[in-house]
PDB file of all heavy atoms in Angstrom:
ATOM      1  N   SER A 287      17.129  -8.704  18.956  1.00 92.00           N
ATOM      2  CA  SER A 287      18.591  -8.801  19.001  1.00 92.00           C
ATOM      3  C   SER A 287      19.143 -10.196  18.741  1.00 92.00           C
ATOM      4  O   SER A 287      20.348 -10.400  18.790  1.00 92.00           O
ATOM      5  CB  SER A 287      19.126  -8.280  20.342  1.00 92.00           C
ATOM      6  OG  SER A 287      18.773  -6.927  20.512  1.00 92.00           O
ATOM      7  N   MET A 288      18.284 -11.154  18.453  1.00 95.00           N
ATOM      8  CA  MET A 288      18.748 -12.522  18.186  1.00 95.00           C
ATOM      9  C   MET A 288      18.345 -12.991  16.796  1.00 95.00           C
ATOM     10  O   MET A 288      18.502 -14.155  16.466  1.00 95.00           O
ATOM     11  CB  MET A 288      18.198 -13.473  19.252  1.00 95.00           C
ATOM     12  CG  MET A 288      18.618 -13.065  20.656  1.00 95.00           C
ATOM     13  SD  MET A 288      18.190 -14.281  21.870  1.00 95.00           S
ATOM     14  CE  MET A 288      19.609 -15.356  21.716  1.00 95.00           C
ATOM     15  N   SER A 289      17.796 -12.078  16.017  1.00 97.00           N
ATOM     16  CA  SER A 289      17.405 -12.417  14.645  1.00 97.00           C
ATOM     17  C   SER A 289      17.713 -11.214  13.753  1.00 97.00           C
ATOM     18  O   SER A 289      18.181 -10.182  14.224  1.00 97.00           O
ATOM     19  CB  SER A 289      15.917 -12.770  14.597  1.00 97.00           C
ATOM     20  OG  SER A 289      15.126 -11.652  14.945  1.00 97.00           O
ATOM     21  N   GLU A 290      17.443 -11.366  12.489  1.00 98.00           N
ATOM     22  CA  GLU A 290      17.750 -10.305  11.524  1.00 98.00           C
ATOM     23  C   GLU A 290      17.012  -9.013  11.875  1.00 98.00           C
ATOM     24  O   GLU A 290      15.813  -9.022  12.154  1.00 98.00           O
ATOM     25  CB  GLU A 290      17.351 -10.758  10.124  1.00 98.00           C
ATOM     26  CG  GLU A 290      17.634  -9.734   9.060  1.00 98.00           C
ATOM     27  CD  GLU A 290      17.163 -10.154   7.678  1.00 98.00           C
ATOM     28  OE1 GLU A 290      16.567 -11.247   7.537  1.00 98.00           O
ATOM     29  OE2 GLU A 290      17.407  -9.384   6.738  1.00 98.00           O
ATOM     30  N   ARG A 291      17.739  -7.909  11.876  1.00 98.00           N
ATOM     31  CA  ARG A 291      17.162  -6.591  12.127  1.00 98.00           C
ATOM     32  C   ARG A 291      16.820  -5.957  10.785  1.00 98.00           C
ATOM     33  O   ARG A 291      17.654  -5.909   9.877  1.00 98.00           O
ATOM     34  CB  ARG A 291      18.156  -5.718  12.889  1.00 98.00           C
ATOM     35  CG  ARG A 291      17.641  -4.320  13.166  1.00 98.00           C
ATOM     36  CD  ARG A 291      18.657  -3.537  13.982  1.00 98.00           C
ATOM     37  NE  ARG A 291      18.366  -2.118  13.953  1.00 98.00           N
ATOM     38  CZ  ARG A 291      18.303  -1.346  15.027  1.00 98.00           C
ATOM     39  NH1 ARG A 291      18.537  -1.856  16.221  1.00 98.00           N
ATOM     40  NH2 ARG A 291      18.036  -0.068  14.922  1.00 98.00           N
ATOM     41  N   ILE A 292      15.597  -5.474  10.670  1.00 98.00           N
ATOM     42  CA  ILE A 292      15.131  -4.811   9.460  1.00 98.00           C
ATOM     43  C   ILE A 292      15.114  -3.307   9.718  1.00 98.00           C
ATOM     44  O   ILE A 292      14.491  -2.842  10.670  1.00 98.00           O
ATOM     45  CB  ILE A 292      13.712  -5.295   9.067  1.00 98.00           C
ATOM     46  CG1 ILE A 292      13.655  -6.827   8.955  1.00 98.00           C
ATOM     47  CG2 ILE A 292      13.239  -4.596   7.798  1.00 98.00           C
ATOM     48  CD1 ILE A 292      14.567  -7.419   7.901  1.00 98.00           C
ATOM     49  N   GLU A 293      15.814  -2.560   8.877  1.00 98.00           N
ATOM     50  CA  GLU A 293      15.911  -1.106   9.027  1.00 98.00           C
ATOM     51  C   GLU A 293      14.801  -0.407   8.243  1.00 98.00           C
ATOM     52  O   GLU A 293      14.165  -0.992   7.368  1.00 98.00           O
ATOM     53  CB  GLU A 293      17.287  -0.627   8.555  1.00 98.00           C
ATOM     54  CG  GLU A 293      18.448  -1.234   9.293  1.00 98.00           C
ATOM     55  CD  GLU A 293      18.534  -0.854  10.770  1.00 98.00           C
ATOM     56  OE1 GLU A 293      17.940   0.163  11.190  1.00 98.00           O
ATOM     57  OE2 GLU A 293      19.216  -1.588  11.514  1.00 98.00           O
ATOM     58  N   GLU A 294      14.607   0.860   8.550  1.00 98.00           N
ATOM     59  CA  GLU A 294      13.522   1.646   7.954  1.00 98.00           C
ATOM     60  C   GLU A 294      13.509   1.573   6.425  1.00 98.00           C
ATOM     61  O   GLU A 294      12.441   1.472   5.819  1.00 98.00           O
ATOM     62  CB  GLU A 294      13.623   3.095   8.404  1.00 98.00           C
ATOM     63  CG  GLU A 294      12.499   3.964   7.881  1.00 98.00           C
ATOM     64  CD  GLU A 294      12.535   5.377   8.422  1.00 98.00           C
ATOM     65  OE1 GLU A 294      13.557   5.778   9.012  1.00 98.00           O
ATOM     66  OE2 GLU A 294      11.527   6.080   8.254  1.00 98.00           O
ATOM     67  N   ALA A 295      14.660   1.616   5.799  1.00 98.00           N
ATOM     68  CA  ALA A 295      14.730   1.590   4.332  1.00 98.00           C
ATOM     69  C   ALA A 295      14.108   0.335   3.737  1.00 98.00           C
ATOM     70  O   ALA A 295      13.661   0.345   2.583  1.00 98.00           O
ATOM     71  CB  ALA A 295      16.180   1.711   3.876  1.00 98.00           C
ATOM     72  N   ASP A 296      14.050  -0.731   4.525  1.00 98.00           N
ATOM     73  CA  ASP A 296      13.491  -1.996   4.053  1.00 98.00           C
ATOM     74  C   ASP A 296      12.128  -2.311   4.648  1.00 98.00           C
ATOM     75  O   ASP A 296      11.614  -3.422   4.467  1.00 98.00           O
ATOM     76  CB  ASP A 296      14.470  -3.134   4.371  1.00 98.00           C
ATOM     77  CG  ASP A 296      15.789  -2.952   3.639  1.00 98.00           C
ATOM     78  OD1 ASP A 296      15.759  -2.611   2.438  1.00 98.00           O
ATOM     79  OD2 ASP A 296      16.846  -3.120   4.275  1.00 98.00           O
ATOM     80  N   MET A 297      11.537  -1.350   5.334  1.00 98.00           N
ATOM     81  CA  MET A 297      10.223  -1.547   5.950  1.00 98.00           C
ATOM     82  C   MET A 297       9.115  -1.046   5.025  1.00 98.00           C
ATOM     83  O   MET A 297       9.314  -0.111   4.258  1.00 98.00           O
ATOM     84  CB  MET A 297      10.150  -0.799   7.297  1.00 98.00           C
ATOM     85  CG  MET A 297      11.056  -1.380   8.352  1.00 98.00           C
ATOM     86  SD  MET A 297      11.162  -0.358   9.854  1.00 98.00           S
ATOM     87  CE  MET A 297       9.520  -0.538  10.544  1.00 98.00           C
ATOM     88  N   THR A 298       7.945  -1.665   5.155  1.00 98.00           N
ATOM     89  CA  THR A 298       6.776  -1.192   4.411  1.00 98.00           C
ATOM     90  C   THR A 298       6.172   0.011   5.140  1.00 98.00           C
ATOM     91  O   THR A 298       6.490   0.263   6.319  1.00 98.00           O
ATOM     92  CB  THR A 298       5.706  -2.293   4.316  1.00 98.00           C
ATOM     93  OG1 THR A 298       5.194  -2.556   5.629  1.00 98.00           O
ATOM     94  CG2 THR A 298       6.264  -3.575   3.688  1.00 98.00           C
ATOM     95  N   ALA A 299       5.290   0.702   4.463  1.00 98.00           N
ATOM     96  CA  ALA A 299       4.599   1.842   5.083  1.00 98.00           C
ATOM     97  C   ALA A 299       3.807   1.379   6.314  1.00 98.00           C
ATOM     98  O   ALA A 299       3.774   2.076   7.333  1.00 98.00           O
ATOM     99  CB  ALA A 299       3.681   2.518   4.076  1.00 98.00           C
ATOM    100  N   ASP A 300       3.195   0.205   6.253  1.00 97.00           N
ATOM    101  CA  ASP A 300       2.439  -0.321   7.400  1.00 97.00           C
ATOM    102  C   ASP A 300       3.353  -0.645   8.575  1.00 97.00           C
ATOM    103  O   ASP A 300       2.993  -0.428   9.729  1.00 97.00           O
ATOM    104  CB  ASP A 300       1.644  -1.570   7.008  1.00 97.00           C
ATOM    105  CG  ASP A 300       0.434  -1.247   6.132  1.00 97.00           C
ATOM    106  OD1 ASP A 300       0.015  -0.064   6.076  1.00 97.00           O
ATOM    107  OD2 ASP A 300      -0.099  -2.187   5.514  1.00 97.00           O
ATOM    108  N   GLU A 301       4.532  -1.178   8.303  1.00 98.00           N
ATOM    109  CA  GLU A 301       5.481  -1.483   9.374  1.00 98.00           C
ATOM    110  C   GLU A 301       5.984  -0.205  10.044  1.00 98.00           C
ATOM    111  O   GLU A 301       6.101  -0.141  11.269  1.00 98.00           O
ATOM    112  CB  GLU A 301       6.645  -2.307   8.830  1.00 98.00           C
ATOM    113  CG  GLU A 301       6.235  -3.711   8.441  1.00 98.00           C
ATOM    114  CD  GLU A 301       7.260  -4.439   7.593  1.00 98.00           C
ATOM    115  OE1 GLU A 301       8.145  -3.796   6.976  1.00 98.00           O
ATOM    116  OE2 GLU A 301       7.172  -5.687   7.532  1.00 98.00           O
ATOM    117  N   ILE A 302       6.239   0.820   9.244  1.00 98.00           N
ATOM    118  CA  ILE A 302       6.670   2.100   9.808  1.00 98.00           C
ATOM    119  C   ILE A 302       5.546   2.715  10.639  1.00 98.00           C
ATOM    120  O   ILE A 302       5.781   3.247  11.721  1.00 98.00           O
ATOM    121  CB  ILE A 302       7.150   3.055   8.690  1.00 98.00           C
ATOM    122  CG1 ILE A 302       8.429   2.493   8.053  1.00 98.00           C
ATOM    123  CG2 ILE A 302       7.384   4.462   9.237  1.00 98.00           C
ATOM    124  CD1 ILE A 302       8.848   3.187   6.772  1.00 98.00           C
ATOM    125  N   ALA A 303       4.320   2.602  10.159  1.00 98.00           N
ATOM    126  CA  ALA A 303       3.167   3.115  10.915  1.00 98.00           C
ATOM    127  C   ALA A 303       3.022   2.378  12.242  1.00 98.00           C
ATOM    128  O   ALA A 303       2.695   2.992  13.265  1.00 98.00           O
ATOM    129  CB  ALA A 303       1.893   2.982  10.088  1.00 98.00           C
ATOM    130  N   ALA A 304       3.275   1.072  12.261  1.00 98.00           N
ATOM    131  CA  ALA A 304       3.195   0.297  13.501  1.00 98.00           C
ATOM    132  C   ALA A 304       4.285   0.736  14.476  1.00 98.00           C
ATOM    133  O   ALA A 304       4.035   0.883  15.679  1.00 98.00           O
ATOM    134  CB  ALA A 304       3.308  -1.200  13.206  1.00 98.00           C
ATOM    135  N   TYR A 305       5.496   0.947  13.987  1.00 98.00           N
ATOM    136  CA  TYR A 305       6.584   1.440  14.840  1.00 98.00           C
ATOM    137  C   TYR A 305       6.194   2.796  15.436  1.00 98.00           C
ATOM    138  O   TYR A 305       6.319   3.023  16.638  1.00 98.00           O
ATOM    139  CB  TYR A 305       7.882   1.574  14.034  1.00 98.00           C
ATOM    140  CG  TYR A 305       9.023   2.148  14.837  1.00 98.00           C
ATOM    141  CD1 TYR A 305       9.925   1.321  15.480  1.00 98.00           C
ATOM    142  CD2 TYR A 305       9.182   3.526  14.972  1.00 98.00           C
ATOM    143  CE1 TYR A 305      10.971   1.854  16.243  1.00 98.00           C
ATOM    144  CE2 TYR A 305      10.210   4.065  15.725  1.00 98.00           C
ATOM    145  CZ  TYR A 305      11.098   3.226  16.364  1.00 98.00           C
ATOM    146  OH  TYR A 305      12.117   3.754  17.131  1.00 98.00           O
ATOM    147  N   LYS A 306       5.702   3.705  14.596  1.00 97.00           N
ATOM    148  CA  LYS A 306       5.304   5.041  15.056  1.00 97.00           C
ATOM    149  C   LYS A 306       4.198   4.955  16.098  1.00 97.00           C
ATOM    150  O   LYS A 306       4.221   5.663  17.107  1.00 97.00           O
ATOM    151  CB  LYS A 306       4.866   5.909  13.882  1.00 97.00           C
ATOM    152  CG  LYS A 306       4.505   7.331  14.291  1.00 97.00           C
ATOM    153  CD  LYS A 306       4.109   8.166  13.105  1.00 97.00           C
ATOM    154  CE  LYS A 306       3.848   9.626  13.445  1.00 97.00           C
ATOM    155  NZ  LYS A 306       3.190   9.926  14.670  1.00 97.00           N
ATOM    156  N   ALA A 307       3.225   4.082  15.878  1.00 97.00           N
ATOM    157  CA  ALA A 307       2.131   3.925  16.837  1.00 97.00           C
ATOM    158  C   ALA A 307       2.664   3.436  18.181  1.00 97.00           C
ATOM    159  O   ALA A 307       2.264   3.934  19.239  1.00 97.00           O
ATOM    160  CB  ALA A 307       1.084   2.950  16.298  1.00 97.00           C
ATOM    161  N   GLY A 308       3.570   2.476  18.171  1.00 96.00           N
ATOM    162  CA  GLY A 308       4.174   1.992  19.413  1.00 96.00           C
ATOM    163  C   GLY A 308       4.951   3.088  20.112  1.00 96.00           C
ATOM    164  O   GLY A 308       4.867   3.256  21.335  1.00 96.00           O
ATOM    165  N   TYR A 309       5.689   3.861  19.357  1.00 96.00           N
ATOM    166  CA  TYR A 309       6.480   4.959  19.901  1.00 96.00           C
ATOM    167  C   TYR A 309       5.566   6.022  20.510  1.00 96.00           C
ATOM    168  O   TYR A 309       5.756   6.457  21.641  1.00 96.00           O
ATOM    169  CB  TYR A 309       7.331   5.559  18.781  1.00 96.00           C
ATOM    170  CG  TYR A 309       8.477   6.420  19.248  1.00 96.00           C
ATOM    171  CD1 TYR A 309       9.721   5.861  19.512  1.00 96.00           C
ATOM    172  CD2 TYR A 309       8.335   7.794  19.390  1.00 96.00           C
ATOM    173  CE1 TYR A 309      10.789   6.640  19.906  1.00 96.00           C
ATOM    174  CE2 TYR A 309       9.398   8.585  19.783  1.00 96.00           C
ATOM    175  CZ  TYR A 309      10.629   8.005  20.052  1.00 96.00           C
ATOM    176  OH  TYR A 309      11.678   8.787  20.443  1.00 96.00           O
ATOM    177  N   ASP A 310       4.531   6.406  19.770  1.00 95.00           N
ATOM    178  CA  ASP A 310       3.611   7.442  20.233  1.00 95.00           C
ATOM    179  C   ASP A 310       2.765   6.978  21.407  1.00 95.00           C
ATOM    180  O   ASP A 310       2.527   7.738  22.343  1.00 95.00           O
ATOM    181  CB  ASP A 310       2.693   7.899  19.099  1.00 95.00           C
ATOM    182  CG  ASP A 310       3.433   8.668  18.010  1.00 95.00           C
ATOM    183  OD1 ASP A 310       4.602   9.068  18.233  1.00 95.00           O
ATOM    184  OD2 ASP A 310       2.843   8.845  16.934  1.00 95.00           O
TER     185      ASP A 310
END
């Protein structure tokens, strides 16, 4: 919340996989 937020449309497949792993 204090730096640039990157949304899904601008994320790599690996970054999305990392988000999913954290969520799961």
Side-chain angles (χ1 to χ4, degrees):
S287 299
M288 302 188 85
S289 64
E290 180 183 2
R291 179 177 165 131
I292 306 299
E293 301 295 340
E294 183 175 13
D296 297 316
M297 292 171 69
T298 66
D300 287 343
E301 291 166 341
I302 293 169
Y305 177 94
K306 183 179 185 321
Y309 197 89
D310 291 347

